[in-house]
Amino acid sequence: MKVKLLEHTPNPEKLIAAAAKLCYSSSGVDELMENLTPENTERFLNMLMDLGHESPIEHATFTFAIEGISRCCSHQLVRHRIASYSQKSQRYVNETQFEYVTPSVIENLPVAKEMFDELMTRIQCDYEDLRELIKEDLMKKGMDEKAAGKVANEDARFVLPNACTTSIIVTMNIRSLFNFFKHRCCNRAQWEIREVAWEMWKQCVVIAPTIFKHAGPDCVTKNKCPEGKMSCGNQLKMKSKYDFEYYSKEHENDI
Ligand SMILES: Cc1cc2nc3c(=O)[nH]c(=O)nc-3n(C[C@H](O)[C@H](O)[C@H](O)COP(=O)(O)OP(=O)(O)OC[C@H]3O[C@@H](n4cnc5c(N)ncnc54)[C@H](O)[C@@H]3O)c2cc1C
């Protein structure tokens, strides 16, 4: 999988601080912006986040390109409704020779891996045969080749597996990213979307550390797990994984 931060609101922390300060200030916006030094922006944002005043963080957005994830994972991703998505179409792009994601439990079990790969190869062949059959039939019935090809793509795809890879561009505002990280960085989320969330979180922390140090699974940000009996019990491990100071500084140049 590849998760790449494509764009984000410039100076997101200053923008958010200005938006929040405007609520409580009689000054004009120019004066507010001028008075926002890095130090008082950080202090103010920490206070804002501790108070849980989240609407100002909606003003800044982050856009990611995510490639090479399975359709299982993209389906979980798009359940997050407060976001914008553009996903590679299986109607306009034919999936002959599609690539697929193999879960590690299958990858590491030779007999399962063999079965899985054989099945993928068979689906690739059957998909292609089905596509050709549909296309030929429609062309015989008078449809032009391009239109027939598109119908063939859109109907043959019914046999494609969830493992099939996809590409998607997602834009979320920071409030929505907070909700996404809360749910999908948690060990209860499935491994693949958890990996996506982890890659996104690391890149957000570099851009806006004061804000994103408050983002992540509840066991890290709220110091308690809401999962009850289903808790993974790994709070300490999670805290050392979601080390915002390390990722905001050491990995600054990775972006
Ligand atoms: C571990 C895990 C297991 C899951 N298992 C399942 C499952 O078995 N089956 C399943 O269907 N889903 C499952 N989900 C998906 C989950 O139920 C949510 O659909 C998904 O996490 C998106 O969260 P969200 O609705 O908070 O996000 P968004 O859609 O981005 O919404 C963000 C917030 O906006 C508000 N909001 C958005 N839309 C509305 C609305 N229509 N009305 C009122 N408030 C709204 C809510 O406060 C919401 O939290 C699972 C998720 C996780 C993390």
Side-chain angles (χ1 to χ4, degrees):
M1 104 174 34
K2 184 173 163 198
V3 178
K4 185 175 165 55
L5 177 62
L6 291 183
E7 292 290 348
H8 59 83
T9 303
N11 296 320
E13 298 196 328
K14 192 167 180 184
L15 174 70
I16 290 162
K21 270 191 179 285
L22 188 78
C23 305
Y24 313 115
S25 167
S26 55
S27 312
V29 75
D30 291 338
E31 194 183 333
L32 280 178
M33 293 297 272
E34 260 170 43
N35 290 338
L36 279 170
T37 62
E39 294 71 32
N40 65 25
T41 299
E42 184 178 349
R43 207 168 41 246
F44 183 72
L45 289 178
N46 278 327
M47 185 195 74
L48 196 70
M49 299 317 298
D50 288 341
L51 285 173
H53 183 184
E54 287 195 341
S55 65
I57 64 176
E58 291 171 18
H59 291 292
T61 64
F62 283 63
T63 300
F64 292 89
I66 304 170
E67 297 173 292
I69 54 166
S70 71
R71 281 242 161 195
C72 299
C73 183
S74 71
H75 186 75
Q76 293 176 322
L77 176 63
V78 301
R79 291 296 303 280
H80 293 265
R81 292 158 289 179
I82 315 298
S84 305
Y85 301 99
S86 302
Q87 182 166 17
K88 187 175 103 179
S89 168
Q90 288 182 328
R91 297 176 69 202
Y92 294 102
V93 183
N94 94 53
E95 290 279 17
T96 312
Q97 300 304 311
F98 64 82
E99 291 184 0
Y100 55 91
V101 174
T102 308
S104 62
V105 285
I106 295 177
E107 187 72 51
N108 297 328
L109 185 60
V111 60
K113 164 93 170 116
E114 194 181 336
M115 189 193 288
F116 191 78
D117 286 339
E118 271 175 23
L119 185 57
M120 292 300 134
T121 307
R122 204 163 76 226
I123 295 175
Q124 281 170 342
C125 293
D126 288 351
Y127 166 81
E128 183 53 18
D129 289 349
L130 207 50
R131 227 183 120 258
E132 285 307 316
L133 277 173
I134 296 168
K135 191 172 157 192
E136 271 173 32
D137 183 54
L138 291 173
M139 285 169 68
K140 265 189 218 146
K141 288 174 178 157
M143 198 179 274
D144 70 72
E145 189 176 355
K146 196 172 168 204
K150 185 165 164 275
V151 176
N153 283 350
E154 68 190 19
D155 287 349
R157 71 178 166 153
F158 279 66
V159 301
L160 292 172
N162 272 331
C164 197
T165 60
T166 188
S167 306
I168 190 162
I169 288 185
V170 51
T171 300
M172 286 189 194
N173 68 46
I174 296 184
R175 191 176 196 177
S176 194
L177 280 167
F178 266 52
N179 185 54
F180 178 72
F181 292 146
K182 169 191 159 83
H183 288 110
R184 304 299 183 175
C185 292
C186 170
N187 274 340
R188 290 265 298 133
Q190 207 190 353
W191 60 271
E192 196 180 11
I193 193 154
R194 201 162 8 105
E195 184 68 26
V196 169
W198 167 236
E199 293 299 327
M200 287 167 65
W201 180 89
K202 282 190 291 183
Q203 296 179 60
C204 289
V205 157
V206 173
I207 305 299
T210 307
I211 292 282
F212 282 102
K213 76 177 177 196
H214 299 274
D218 278 347
C219 64
V220 175
T221 59
K222 304 223 174 6
N223 218 12
K224 66 173 189 219
C225 173
E227 295 291 336
K229 276 188 194 156
M230 294 194 278
S231 173
C232 71
N234 286 329
Q235 184 176 10
L236 283 179
K237 263 196 202 157
M238 292 298 272
K239 277 180 172 265
S240 66
K241 178 174 177 178
Y242 284 86
D243 180 346
F244 87 93
E245 280 193 26
Y246 174 75
Y247 286 103
S248 61
K249 297 202 176 72
E250 299 288 324
H251 288 206
E252 220 164 2
N253 298 327
D254 291 358
I255 304 294

